[in-house]
Amino acid sequence: MTLHQAFEWLEMSSVGVMVRESPWAFPIVVATHIMGIMLSVGTLVWFDLRLLGVSMLANRASVMYRRLMPWMFTGFAMMFISGGMLLAGYATSAYDNLYFRIKVVAMLLAAVNAVAYHFMTERRIAQWDADVSPPPGARFAGLISICVWATVIIAGRLMSYTMF
């Protein structure tokens, strides 16, 4: 099965048909997707600004992460489930869309950045946790995170203007 065939199958799935044909499914799924983005990326940017050393400097990075993590993960779950449903509804249109490809690449870069942060930079958090200016690796992770998630959101918006 080719990737295009997989996208055709996804679009013909019951979820794909529901998203396209139900008068209520599409607006509810889109609203859920936007709320998930707000919750996940919104709270992630708070943490990234702390990593950059430009906001909430009196708070330890580890404490901020522990407090924001449940909100981030809840938002990410909402965002990925609803995004998957939206993809199912319009998979073949997304397949050929340049902005969809940009969005996927940016999401992969966000995942690589998060893994690198957690397995490399965060291991030494005890040394810099309370510092006003975190080490270059932490600042770089925060900057990359903001940039790639902004790219994901912008590409997602551009998808909706160019797919139909």
Side-chain angles (χ1 to χ4, degrees), residues 23-164:
W24 293 103
F26 182 78
I28 290 170
V29 173
V30 167
T32 302
H33 193 63
I34 292 168
M35 293 296 289
I37 291 168
M38 178 192 71
L39 193 57
S40 62
V41 179
T43 54
L44 181 62
V45 167
W46 276 357
F47 182 67
D48 290 337
L49 291 173
R50 173 61 182 96
L51 290 180
L52 284 170
V54 298
S55 181
M56 301 197 187
L57 305 178
N59 297 307
R60 291 179 169 273
S62 62
V63 172
M64 279 192 67
Y65 182 77
R66 277 194 306 274
R67 289 181 180 167
L68 294 174
M69 183 179 54
W71 298 101
M72 280 188 261
F73 286 135
T74 300
F76 278 119
M78 290 171 60
M79 182 176 57
F80 280 110
I81 291 168
S82 60
M85 293 174 74
L86 290 170
L87 176 61
Y90 302 96
T92 57
S93 295
Y95 180 84
D96 293 323
N97 189 280
L98 171 66
Y99 298 110
F100 172 72
R101 293 169 187 233
I102 291 170
K103 182 175 181 169
V104 169
V105 169
M107 288 189 299
L108 291 172
L109 290 173
V112 168
N113 184 54
V115 168
Y117 169 78
H118 287 295
F119 285 106
M120 294 166 45
T121 307
E122 192 180 46
R123 284 187 173 191
R124 294 180 302 278
I125 197 167
Q127 298 166 0
W128 58 266
D129 196 18
D131 292 351
V132 172
S133 182
R139 292 194 310 268
F140 184 71
L143 179 64
I144 294 298
S145 176
I146 290 171
C147 291
V148 294
W149 281 109
T151 302
V152 167
I153 293 167
I154 291 166
R157 292 307 309 144
L158 290 171
M159 279 175 57
S160 65
Y161 296 120
T162 59
M163 278 182 30
F164 307 104

